Amino acid sequence: MIAAQFAEITPLLAQYLNSHDMEMFRCHDRELQKVEETIKVKASYFFYQRSEYPRDCAEVKAQCSNNNSSGVFVIKPEGFDEPFEVFCENDIDGGGWTVIQRRVDGSINFDRSWSDYKEGFGFLRSEFWIGNQKLSFLTNQKKYQLRIDFENSAGSSFFATYEAFRISDEFSKFRIVSVGKSTGTIDSFIETCPSNMVFKNCSCQTSCANPDVCEDTCSAEDDESCICPGGYFIKGDTCVLPQACGCYLTGRGVIPDGSSYVNDGCTERCSCEAGTLRCDSSFRCDANAVCEERSDTFGCRCREGFEGDGESCTRNEFTDCHDVYTSGLRNDGVYNIKPAGWPGSEFEVYCEMSNGGGWTVFQRRQDGSVDFYRTWDSYKTGFPDTATGELWLGNEKLYHLTNQKSYKMRIDLINRDGVSYNLNYDAFRINNEANNYRLETLGSFTGNTGEWMVTTALQVLLLISVPKGVGKNYE
């Protein structure tokens, strides 16, 4: 079968090879394609018998007056070492166009090295790049037009033609030397991207003003748009590298406008104000603060029992254990409080944070280690001078405590058998010394004990706290 087919085309090959000017050989691309398909011989295996190769597809068309079909032909630009194949487009705008790039279906990877773009890659009948070296020789031998044909996803076609296209050589990095004025139908279809932007699938972008958030800048109907390439930030209406943002800090990146950054030793703070970076190397934490990292950010944090911004911390002035609890401190223990109107300095109390939290302990009897058979003055000032173990807080302190807010009282008891009981009174307040610290208010009670338990209990704990939903000063 192959022999018979070869016999059929032998006269054609003989005609090609016996021709002195090789006219038919140059001008029958499709018949050469038939030879290629039959005996697997590529058109580039045949060479001209003389040195006058056409220099571009315009000359191919001029020499091949009897064949105006588009296809692969051999050319040799002035000064180029060897002839090479190109695809000549003769079906558009009068023909004679030398195709330098075709992209149609994504079958060829165009993310290539400098060397690949210099030499060219792909396949002339599908996707390809002709090569910068060939293009340089091509465009520097005559004055050339550049035509760009597009087809969008909707199937609409449009084009742009530039009247003077030329690129430089490799020494000048194949830069575009000129393109000239443009004509065509491109303006009604193509969106021209600003400097440093690329037209690609729409996605969120970061900006100099808000570098930590990727903001969606795409409209609902746009699949593609002008966006910043990877690693760039939006600054105004252009794209810049992070270093070009006004608030770029080495080792940290871009600081958002209105934000600040503290280094890992809390010895410097840099702030971004209206796009300007200002750093303070005198920044330090307060003596009552610690430098610590939270959510990947360093900063000064006030120690427990203090409040402030970390640069300045002041001791919390709690009026009772309820204040301690609502400040976020949730551990049982000794805290300093100062009730409203208390004439002295802060004093220690024991705060219990269970059972709703914020209970101020004003009496504890558990093991008989403290003598409760005391004088008036002892009960007035309190005893012993500690907030742990057995204690009585003191009538004067209890008066100021219970008269600043509405309070409830809880009594916890444990009998000789180790069984726990409790009493809860929904209101509790005592009078002042002039009135002998008499019990002024004692609300209704709930609990699981009777009066007999008070006299038979081995351990007694008296506590007060603010009723739920109450926080105003007592009036």
Side-chain angles (χ1 to χ4, degrees), residues 28 78 101 153 223 226 230 272 294 314 347 379 383 460 465:
H28 287 78
E78 290 180 5
Q101 174 184 292
S153 58
D223 293 327
C226 294
C272 182
R294 294 182 184 177
T314 57
F347 55 86
Y379 271 92
F383 57 84
V460 181
S465 186

Side-chain angles (χ1 to χ4, degrees), residues 120-424:
F121 53 86
F123 303 97
L124 292 174
R125 293 186 181 275
S126 59
E127 294 197 331
F128 72 93
W129 172 253
I130 192 172
N132 290 332
Q133 187 80 328
K134 296 170 184 175
L135 189 59
S136 175
F137 278 89
L138 258 172
T139 59
N140 280 277
Q141 62 184 353
K142 299 178 187 178
K143 181 179 179 181
Y144 284 91
Q145 285 183 308
L146 172 68
R147 178 183 171 108
I148 306 174
D149 285 274
F150 302 89
E151 182 177 316
N152 65 15
S153 58
S156 300
S157 299
F158 42 96
F159 73 94
T161 302
Y162 298 87
E163 67 177 19
F165 175 62
R166 183 162 64 93
I167 72 169
S168 65
D169 57 14
E170 184 176 16
F171 180 80
S172 299
K173 301 186 182 300
F174 300 120
R175 289 186 175 92
I176 295 177
V177 176
S178 66
V179 290
K181 294 181 179 179
S182 66
T183 57
T185 59
I186 190 172
D187 291 340
S188 59
F189 291 93
I190 291 295
E191 176 185 354
T192 301
C193 292
S195 175
N196 289 338
M197 285 191 173
V198 294
F199 190 78
K200 59 186 299 186
N201 290 336
C202 203
S203 62
C204 63
Q205 301 178 87
T206 51
S207 65
C208 288
N210 198 7
D212 296 329
V213 178
C214 195
E215 299 174 340
D216 187 2
T217 58
C218 306
S219 60
E221 64 274 8
D222 286 339
D223 293 327
E224 295 180 309
S225 183
C226 294
I227 65 173
C228 293
Y232 280 73
F233 290 73
I234 297 176
K235 184 178 183 181
D237 58 359
T238 189
C239 302
V240 298
L241 288 169
Q243 293 84 341
C245 291
C247 293
Y248 177 81
L249 184 63
T250 302
R252 166 61 174 83
V254 181
I255 299 176
D257 197 29
S259 300
S260 60
Y261 169 77
V262 176
N263 67 354
D264 57 7
C266 293
T267 58
E268 182 180 64
R269 180 175 62 188
C270 294
S271 303
C272 182
E273 301 173 10
T276 301
L277 185 67
R278 294 182 171 86
C279 293
D280 178 13
S281 58
S282 65
F283 175 83
R284 295 292 186 275
C285 295
D286 186 85
N288 292 308
V290 293
C291 178
E292 62 182 17
E293 184 180 17
R294 294 182 184 177
S295 301
D296 299 324
T297 301
F298 281 91
C300 299
R301 323 289 181 192
C302 293
R303 298 179 189 275
E304 188 174 286
F306 293 84
E307 60 183 0
D309 59 7
E311 290 181 78
S312 176
C313 299
T314 57
R315 183 182 291 278
N316 290 317
E317 289 193 357
F318 301 126
T319 61
D320 54 24
C321 289
H322 182 262
D323 284 354
V324 176
Y325 182 83
T326 56
S327 75
L329 301 174
R330 301 299 169 87
N331 293 323
D332 293 349
V334 177
Y335 293 88
N336 289 296
I337 68 168
K338 184 179 180 181
W342 176 251
S345 58
E346 294 179 336
F347 55 86
E348 290 184 345
V349 292
Y350 191 91
C351 297
E352 185 181 296
M353 301 303 182
S354 59
N355 296 310
W359 293 94
T360 305
V361 178
F362 67 92
Q363 176 181 295
R364 182 188 293 112
R365 300 189 69 170
Q366 58 191 14
D367 56 13
S369 59
V370 172
D371 180 15
F372 274 73
Y373 187 66
R374 300 277 183 143
T375 64
W376 175 271
D377 287 340
S378 291
Y379 271 92
K380 174 183 176 181
T381 58
F383 57 84
D385 190 19
T386 178
T388 59
E390 294 199 329
L391 65 92
W392 173 255
L393 181 64
N395 289 334
E396 190 67 15
K397 294 172 184 175
L398 190 58
Y399 160 71
H400 282 89
L401 260 172
T402 59
N403 280 269
Q404 64 179 350
K405 302 175 186 177
S406 295
Y407 284 92
K408 59 184 177 180
M409 180 176 67
R410 190 180 98 221
I411 304 175
D412 292 336
L413 310 105
I414 300 177
N415 67 12
R416 290 180 175 84
D417 299 323
V419 179
S420 298
Y421 295 86
N422 66 78
L423 288 168
N424 295 280

Side-chain angles (χ1 to χ4, degrees), residues 441-456:
T441 302
L442 186 65
S444 58
F445 76 91
T446 59
N448 60 358
T449 182
E451 292 183 0
W452 64 272
M453 273 300 303
V454 177
T455 59
T456 61

